[in-house]
Amino acid sequence: MRTFFKAALTAFFLFCLFSLQSALAHRIAIHSCTPNLLPYAVAAVTVLHSQTAGAWSGFFSGTLLDLYSPLPLGIRMTTLFFSAAASGHITRKFLRPSLPAVFLFGIAISFTLSVAEVAAARIYPATAPLSDLVSRAAGNMLYSLLVSPIAVLPFLLIRRVFPSPERTAGPARAVRLKGPGYHGSGYVWRPTPKVGKEDE
């Protein structure tokens, strides 16, 4: 039940962010540059929750973006799904869940999505010149970074409400038990605690 509520809240906030940027993006555009909050939201889910949750969040977010876009279906969904999965794998192996990691992977996912959109727009007929596409993609990335805290905050709240358990498995080590009642060697084997891996 806990996992269900956590997934439902994640999907709800992703849909709210998509609706917010779809409704307001053109009204707050600066020189035709509009923010995209979903790459940072996907990065937050990936880093703060789990690799699996991040990958499915990327799939869901990318599908919403594809349905709203005139570009061929599947480009954003595929890009966000695999970018989130790769970011989650790197986080699980080498990093701890933290805000710097969220924004770092948010930038990486946003950049990957921008490259995919520019490549798809060049293949799609009747597009703008490449220089215009690149400059618009760079402006969108910078704008998205400036407003990215809006996308990260909901998933920080979810993590606080549904904290992920820490990893407790690891190489065993001998621990000496001292005090009355312990005889013989006085050693027992206990796992070495490790932190930084969230529940899948």
Side-chain angles (χ1 to χ4, degrees):
M1 189 62 69
R2 176 180 177 275
T3 303
F4 171 79
F5 281 121
K6 190 174 180 180
L9 275 176
T10 299
F12 172 75
F13 281 124
L14 287 172
F15 184 78
C16 289
L17 289 171
F18 168 75
S19 301
L20 179 66
Q21 73 178 32
S22 299
L24 299 179
H26 295 291
R27 297 184 181 182
I28 59 175
I30 300 177
H31 298 294
S32 74
C33 295
T34 56
N36 187 356
L37 300 173
L38 291 178
Y40 291 90
V42 170
V45 176
T46 302
V47 174
L48 300 177
H49 298 174
S50 71
Q51 179 184 12
T52 303
W56 285 112
S57 297
F59 180 88
F60 178 68
S61 302
T63 301
L64 292 176
L65 290 173
D66 279 335
L67 293 175
Y68 189 73
S69 170
L71 294 177
L73 186 67
I75 292 174
R76 293 175 172 87
M77 178 268 291
T78 304
T79 303
L80 287 178
F81 178 82
F82 286 105
S83 297
S87 300
H89 179 75
I90 294 172
T91 301
R92 184 172 63 179
K93 294 292 185 182
F94 304 108
L95 299 174
R96 288 187 176 186
S98 63
L99 282 179
V102 169
F103 289 108
L104 175 65
F105 285 116
I107 293 171
I109 293 173
S110 181
F111 174 78
T112 304
L113 183 61
S114 296
V115 170
E117 289 175 342
V118 168
R122 290 299 296 168
I123 297 173
Y124 200 63
T127 59
L130 179 60
S131 58
D132 292 344
L133 293 173
V134 172
S135 62
R136 181 177 300 179
N140 291 344
M141 287 177 55
L142 180 59
Y143 199 170
S144 300
L145 177 61
L146 293 176
V147 298
S148 59
I150 299 173
V152 174
L153 180 60
F155 306 101
L156 284 172
L157 296 178
I158 292 177
R159 181 177 172 85
R160 182 173 292 273
V161 175
F162 300 101
S164 300
E166 305 289 356
R167 184 198 301 179
T168 57
R173 61 188 176 90
V175 178
R176 183 163 188 169
L177 301 178
K178 299 180 180 180
Y182 293 104
H183 304 285
S185 66
Y187 285 92
V188 295
W189 289 92
R190 291 180 178 173
T192 303
K194 289 186 177 180
V195 297
K197 178 171 173 56
E198 62 281 358
D199 57 332
E200 296 291 343

